[in-house]
Amino acid sequence: MASALTDKLSRLAKELRGQARITEANVQDMLREVRMALLEADVALPVVRDFIARVKEKALGQEVLGSLSPGQALVGIVHKEIAATMGEGISDINLQAQPPAVILMAGLQGAGKTTTTAKLAKLLIEKRKKKVLTVSGDVYRPAAIEQLKTVTQQAGAEWFPSSPDQKPLDIARAALDFARKQYFDVLLVDTAGRLAIDEALMNEIKELHRELKPVETLFVVDAMQGQDAVNTAKAFKEALPLTGIVLTKMDGDSRGGAALSVRQVTGAPIKFAGVSEKIDGLEVFDAERHAGRILG
Ligand code: GDP
């Protein structure tokens, strides 16, 4: 983790050379720097507060191992805590269901649901050799249905037609029935998003969830949303039992602090990161690597 924060902490730590323990007094200055770094990365304030409290507790009085200075030790603790908060190891997509395994995509309009649906289809075809069907339940925007058709074709998956005069629930039932009869392994269901959370939208997606019994309910969120990501995540978590998060637009300028906030608020693992507009721009999320990016 070669970063600006590491440099700052090392400088502070130089003054502490020779001390064998991290103490309340010397940890305070360093935690202030950590707090700033997290806020600059757009981690939500309450999440930062909790985080700092946890790090402080872990750091205080800890024996400084071997040749590590208190500064280096604290950087280690912070880095580890960020990675642990975002989830350790790699959390792959779950397809353990009677086929077709249904994956429900949820999130605000513009978050990247449709794009991610196709990216995921491609990944499941290429890496897991699955037969994949996609369907759009977005009956409010005919363009969204067409968009899913186009990107599904690019992904090499099959697309189930739907139209604005249908009810989302009827579309879902028909797609599921077709997927069963045609022996698809996976059915990816793209849903309608709104510009902001609204009750009708939440009720609709809850109904879809009840009907489809998806093995994965993925919350798609724009990493550039920063502080707002927390409120969006809260609303979706209250409506649905989320099984995973996809953080999109990680190729942007954001330091990706939303990852920490969204993970903390939903408790769901971050499974993938969107890293470009292209169909192959989806990566398995690596918490360890992302911890370094958040700290800057
Ligand atoms: P939806 O309304 O949630 O279905 O969002 P879309 O899939 O239509 O995506 C909205 C916009 O974000 C589109 O222009 C996408 O190309 C773009 N987008 C989605 N994911 C990514 C990503 O990971 N990186 C970048 N740079 N753009 C993305």
Side-chain angles (χ1 to χ4, degrees), residues 108-116 119 141 147 190 248-251 274-277 281:
L108 290 184
Q109 188 175 314
K113 278 184 308 301
T114 306
T115 311
T116 305
K119 286 175 174 178
R141 294 188 310 139
Q147 186 196 344
D190 191 11
T248 62
K249 309 185 195 178
M250 288 289 287
D251 48 318
V275 294
S276 89
E277 285 187 286

Side-chain angles (χ1 to χ4, degrees), residues 53-109:
R54 285 206 305 280
V55 169
K56 190 171 170 183
E57 198 180 306
K58 289 200 172 140
L60 278 184
Q62 172 166 312
E63 295 285 345
V64 176
L65 299 170
S67 61
L68 285 182
S69 71
Q72 286 168 322
L74 188 73
V75 170
I77 293 168
V78 168
H79 193 266
K80 229 167 115 187
E81 190 61 29
I82 290 189
T85 306
M86 288 188 299
E88 267 155 320
I90 278 165
S91 181
D92 205 354
I93 204 93
N94 176 13
L95 298 176
Q96 306 260 315
Q98 177 89 351
V102 177
I103 302 177
L104 186 65
M105 310 296 287
L108 290 184
Q109 188 175 314

Side-chain angles (χ1 to χ4, degrees), residues 248-270:
T248 62
K249 309 185 195 178
M250 288 289 287
D251 48 318
D253 293 339
S254 134
R255 295 242 302 272
L260 203 59
S261 311
V262 170
R263 162 75 203 201
Q264 174 114 345
V265 166
T266 64
I270 304 167

Side-chain angles (χ1 to χ4, degrees), residues 31-66:
L31 286 180
R32 200 169 303 128
E33 296 291 344
V34 174
R35 187 184 146 90
M36 291 276 287
L38 294 177
L39 288 173
E40 273 167 25
D42 262 343
V43 181
L45 190 57
V47 176
V48 174
R49 280 205 199 104
D50 274 14
F51 181 86
I52 294 290
R54 285 206 305 280
V55 169
K56 190 171 170 183
E57 198 180 306
K58 289 200 172 140
L60 278 184
Q62 172 166 312
E63 295 285 345
V64 176
L65 299 170

